[in-house]
């Protein structure tokens, strides 16, 4: 041990009581005279767990973060102002105690060393003695971490990230007060084809927490002037204490981090040109039946349909392929079209009845503007048994004439692993479960498309751009239109576990691709915190608005077509 109570020479007098009288003065040692038994670095050790777990120790340090208030962490962090020379050991420690302290206090703390959710802390604490003041400069941490390095050496340490960090996920913001931030911009899925790796993404990421374990915090943390951060917003100079909890390293902020609105809400889709606009949109379980996969109450249902109508109105597409609509005949799609027409004008839209919707609870469907396009022939599907949700096929021609085109609306098997075995199980290649089945579905669609007039294959294909199902479709001569027209950093429609990617695709045969005038992905959903959606269980009423934002968890995709002969 490098230091003893002698380090507190200037403040020990505060812990002495001098007796006066006719005899000699006598001093009674105060609590600050009881020296530390261990350095904080010795308590932390050079591994993931303390070598002193279960032992009672007395440590000395400076308070760097106070999280004792109601609904906070019920404790504070202390740090050794004169750390040891071992970079593998942390010099900070969490003290689970609500004894009043403030940042800058020099303290001696006695307590039992425990590991709680992988965090080394003192609990219970039998003594917290404030013995003066001190200062600790934050350690500068730069992302990405070096290969093989972790944030363990900074556990309990006051840190500062001098870089600009980008919000790469806001999923847990409203529920747990968390935002994942990353260096070098948002993180993309390794199978999106940007050259990213999972190890590289992990080295660029850290979690920003709100210093609390309370669920559904109010107000929503990190909001400013009523604006809640979106994925893509940035923060610079993030400062806080590093904590490990719930299987993640997280920064408990000191002060109030301010996010710059680097990714403002897009008011409307980008321009795509053309005479006819075609879109793909996953509705996130539009159900008229309550308590199934969609709304749980009439209030939620009303909130949901209001948002869906706002999104469809904003898209202003002439034909829209829809996914995750309840498979209950015409009931769900008619209800949606009726509300949409009430907003944009009577009879503006109608729908295509699916001839073989399958037996799944959801199915794909299609709506269109009869004043702009007309169906050519009857709708069809595929008899291939590989589809849980059979595709919907319909040829259209512009009213007044023009080159016909054929919509092939799809919703491939999801990446969830329920029931997946053998080749459908997770192969560890980043493509998730059921990839083999999605490839088989892609082959069936490619075969189907070869016999169609100017096909457009679109929908939620549950595969990122560099995954096997998309490669299969491209090999069959179907070209991604977002790859042609959308900048790489904007090519995403979904965010999962802090990584963005394109699950929603529009691919066109060569005969039609030359007539595509533009493509865009309208980022009204994937970048928005879930607290903005239609659900009422956890979302404060003031967070809801009947607009397009977080109308779903997938962003809609839109293209333009020039169909003049």
């Amino acid at each position: 041990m490098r230091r003893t109570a002698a380090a507190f020479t200037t403040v020990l007098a505060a812990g002495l009581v001098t007796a006066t009288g006719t005899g000699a003065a006598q001093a009674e040692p105060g609590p600050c005279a009881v020296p530390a038994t261990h350095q904080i670095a010795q308590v932390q050790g050079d591994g993931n767990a303390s070598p002193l777990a279960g032992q009672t120790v007395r440590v000395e340090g400076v308070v760097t973060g106070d999280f004792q208030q109601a609904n906070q962490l019920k404790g504070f962090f202390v740090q050794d102002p004169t750390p040891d020379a071992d970079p593998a050991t942390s010099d900070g420690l969490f003290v689970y105690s609500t004894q009043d302290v403030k940042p800058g206090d020099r303290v001696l703390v006695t307590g039992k060393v425990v590991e709680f959710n992988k965090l080394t802390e003192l609990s219970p604490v039998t003594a917290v003695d404030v013995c003066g003041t001190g200062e600790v400069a934050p350690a500068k941490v730069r992302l990405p971490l070096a290969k093989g390095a972790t944030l363990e050496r900074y556990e309990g340490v006051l840190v500062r990230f001098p870089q600009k960090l980008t919000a790469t996920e806001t999923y847990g913001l409203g529920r747990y007060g968390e935002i994942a931030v990353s260096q070098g911009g948002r993180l993309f899925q390794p199978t999106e084809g940007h050259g990213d790796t999972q190890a590289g993404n992990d080295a660029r990421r850290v979690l920003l927490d709100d210093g609390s374990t309370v669920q559904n915090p109010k107000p929503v943390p990190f909001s400013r002037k009523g604006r809640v951060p979106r994925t893509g917003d940035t923060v610079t100079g993030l400062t806080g204490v590093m904590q490990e909890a719930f299987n993640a390293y997280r920064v408990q902020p000191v002060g109030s981090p301010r996010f710059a609105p680097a990714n403002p809400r897009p008011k409307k889709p980008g321009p795509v040109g053309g005479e006819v606009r075609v879109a793909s949109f996953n509705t996130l379980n539009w159900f008229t039946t309550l308590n199934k996969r969609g709304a749980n109450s009439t209030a939620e249902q009303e909130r949901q349909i209001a948002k869906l109508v706002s999104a469809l109105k904003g898209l202003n597409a002439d034909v829209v392929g829809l996914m995750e609509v309840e498979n209950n005949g015409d009931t769900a799609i008619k209800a949606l079209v009726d509300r949409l027409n009430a907003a944009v004008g009577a009879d503006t839209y109608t729908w295509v009845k699916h001839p073989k919707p399958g037996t799944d609870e959801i199915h794909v469907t299609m709506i269109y503007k009869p004043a702009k396009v007309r169906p050519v022939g009857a709708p069809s599907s595929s008899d291939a048994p590989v589809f849980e949700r059979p595709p919907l096929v319909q040829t259209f021609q512009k009213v007044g004439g023009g080159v016909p085109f054929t919509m092939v609306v799809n919703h491939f098997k999801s990446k969830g692993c329920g029931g997946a075995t053998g080749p459908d199980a997770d192969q560890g290649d980043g493509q998730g479960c059921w990839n083999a089945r999605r490839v088989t579905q892609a082959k069936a669609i490619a075969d189907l498309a070869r016999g169609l007039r100017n096909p457009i294959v679109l929908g939620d294909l549950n595969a990122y751009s560099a995954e096997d199902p998309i490669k299969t479709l491209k090999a069959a001569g179907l070209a991604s239109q977002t790859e042609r027209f959308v900048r790489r950093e904007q090519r995403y429609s979904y965010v999962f576990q802090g990584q963005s990617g394109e699950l929603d695709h529009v691919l066109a045969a060569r005969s039609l691709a030359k007539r595509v005038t533009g493509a865009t992905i309208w980022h009204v959903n994937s970048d928005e915190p879930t607290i903005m959606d239609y659900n009422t269980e956890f979302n404060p009423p003031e967070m809801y608005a009947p607009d397009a934002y977080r109308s779903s968890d997938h962003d809609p995709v839109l293209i333009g077509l020039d169909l003049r002969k």
Side-chain angles (χ1 to χ4, degrees):
M1 186 170 65
R2 184 172 61 252
R3 291 171 294 112
T4 67
F8 285 101
T9 302
T10 58
V11 297
L12 283 178
L16 303 179
V17 178
T18 302
T20 59
T22 57
Q26 296 181 356
E28 295 182 3
C32 292
V34 181
T37 62
H38 296 81
Q39 290 178 261
I40 291 176
Q42 291 176 300
V43 176
Q44 285 282 8
D46 59 3
N48 290 329
S50 172
L52 303 178
Q55 298 184 33
T56 296
V57 300
R58 185 169 173 82
V59 298
E60 168 192 335
V62 175
V63 176
T64 55
D66 180 14
F67 299 93
Q68 299 174 301
Q69 304 302 313
N71 297 326
Q72 291 189 320
L73 302 178
K74 298 181 181 179
F76 56 91
F77 290 90
V78 294
Q79 188 170 333
D80 193 331
T82 55
D84 66 6
D86 186 352
T89 59
S90 166
D91 296 292
L93 188 63
F94 183 66
V95 179
Y96 187 70
S97 169
T98 56
Q99 181 164 329
D100 188 32
V101 296
K102 61 183 181 297
D105 283 347
R106 292 180 65 101
V107 295
L108 280 158
V109 181
T110 303
K112 184 178 180 180
V113 181
V114 298
E115 294 288 332
F116 181 75
N117 283 332
K118 296 186 178 182
L119 174 70
T120 303
E121 64 179 43
L122 296 187
S123 174
V125 172
T126 56
V128 177
D129 302 313
V130 179
C131 302
T133 58
E135 292 185 2
V136 173
K140 290 185 178 180
V141 181
R142 298 190 69 87
L143 299 175
L145 299 175
K147 185 177 181 180
T150 72
L151 293 168
E152 179 67 25
R153 61 178 292 194
Y154 298 109
E155 183 185 84
V157 171
L158 183 66
V159 297
R160 182 176 187 273
F161 294 85
Q163 307 152 288
K164 179 188 292 184
L165 300 177
T166 300
T168 194
E169 183 177 43
T170 59
Y171 183 84
L173 176 58
R175 189 82 169 99
Y176 303 110
E178 303 171 347
I179 295 181
V181 294
S182 57
Q183 172 270 342
R186 73 169 65 230
L187 302 177
F188 281 87
Q189 293 286 345
T191 55
E192 185 55 39
H194 292 191
D196 304 278
T197 65
Q198 193 59 59
N201 283 352
D202 293 343
R204 292 170 50 199
R205 167 172 36 197
V206 71
L207 198 62
L208 171 61
D209 209 342
D210 64 346
S212 166
T213 58
V214 69
Q215 296 185 17
N216 313 315
K218 298 178 183 180
V220 179
F222 317 120
S223 300
R224 184 165 176 258
K225 296 182 179 179
R227 185 185 187 277
V228 178
R230 303 178 84 230
T231 301
D233 288 347
T234 60
V235 61
T236 303
L238 176 63
T239 303
V241 182
M242 187 68 67
Q243 182 197 32
E244 185 179 11
F246 305 105
N247 298 313
Y249 289 100
R250 54 191 68 222
V251 178
Q252 303 294 356
V254 174
S256 301
R258 299 179 66 174
F259 279 85
N263 183 27
R265 283 177 160 180
K267 294 182 179 179
K268 59 183 180 180
V272 296
E275 303 173 286
V276 172
R277 294 157 63 94
V278 173
S280 172
F281 187 28
N282 183 320
T283 67
L284 183 56
N285 295 311
W286 163 242
F287 272 55
T288 51
T289 305
L290 298 177
N291 293 305
K292 278 199 170 182
R293 294 176 58 163
N296 295 325
S297 66
T298 55
E300 281 191 345
Q301 191 177 73
E302 173 58 31
R303 286 158 60 109
Q304 183 184 20
I305 197 170
K307 279 188 167 291
L308 290 173
V309 166
S310 292
L312 290 168
K313 181 179 177 180
L315 280 171
N316 190 29
D318 301 307
V319 188
V320 186
L322 299 174
M323 293 100 243
E324 295 195 12
V325 174
E326 184 178 9
N327 189 4
N328 61 348
D330 290 334
T331 303
I333 187 59
K334 181 180 185 302
L336 181 58
V337 169
D338 286 349
R339 279 293 294 269
L340 179 58
N341 285 339
V344 299
D347 301 321
T348 299
Y349 283 94
T350 187
W351 69 92
V352 175
K353 185 176 179 64
H354 201 311
K356 299 177 182 179
T359 58
D360 198 89
E361 283 191 322
I362 55 176
H363 75 312
V364 300
T365 186
M366 199 184 308
I367 63 173
Y368 67 96
K369 292 180 178 179
K372 290 293 296 291
V373 296
R374 64 178 183 85
V376 178
S380 62
S381 186
S382 169
D383 293 323
V386 69
F387 294 107
E388 291 79 25
R389 297 171 285 265
L392 175 59
V393 181
Q394 178 64 64
T395 299
F396 289 97
Q397 189 173 33
K398 186 175 179 292
V399 171
V403 174
F405 63 96
T406 303
M407 298 275 287
V408 185
V409 183
N410 305 272
H411 189 186
F412 284 3
K413 178 70 173 175
S414 75
K415 293 177 177 289
C417 289
T421 59
D424 286 321
D426 193 332
Q427 303 299 304
D429 57 4
Q431 301 189 82
C433 289
W434 299 105
N435 185 58
R437 190 173 187 87
R438 286 190 296 275
V439 169
T440 304
Q441 291 175 337
K443 290 178 179 178
I445 291 298
D447 291 342
L448 178 66
R450 288 189 186 96
L452 301 174
R453 301 169 68 187
N454 300 323
I456 304 175
V457 173
L458 53 78
D460 176 3
L461 304 185
N462 272 311
Y464 295 110
S465 298
E467 293 186 4
D468 298 334
I470 308 304
K471 291 179 180 178
T472 299
L473 293 170
K474 289 179 178 178
L478 296 161
S480 168
Q481 299 308 299
T482 53
E483 286 186 11
R484 288 182 61 198
F485 292 100
V486 181
R487 299 193 315 272
R488 190 176 78 161
E489 65 272 16
Q490 291 296 316
R491 287 205 306 268
Y492 62 91
S493 63
Y494 192 73
V495 177
F496 180 69
Q497 294 184 346
Q499 299 179 146
S500 299
E502 195 173 0
L503 290 182
D504 304 84
H505 301 266
V506 176
L507 303 102
R510 185 175 303 159
S511 59
L512 189 67
K514 61 186 179 182
R515 296 184 175 276
V516 177
T517 55
T520 190
I521 306 172
W522 193 21
H523 297 307
V524 290
N525 294 323
S526 64
D527 288 338
E528 294 284 327
T530 55
I531 199 171
M532 298 295 187
D533 70 18
Y534 71 85
N535 287 279
T536 58
E537 290 94 340
F538 307 117
N539 299 353
E542 65 272 15
M543 290 293 103
Y544 175 80
D547 53 29
Y549 304 106
R550 202 64 191 187
S551 53
S552 175
D553 53 349
H554 290 247
D555 292 326
V557 185
L558 179 69
I559 68 169
L561 295 174
D562 183 350
L563 299 172
R564 292 173 293 182
K565 290 185 176 180

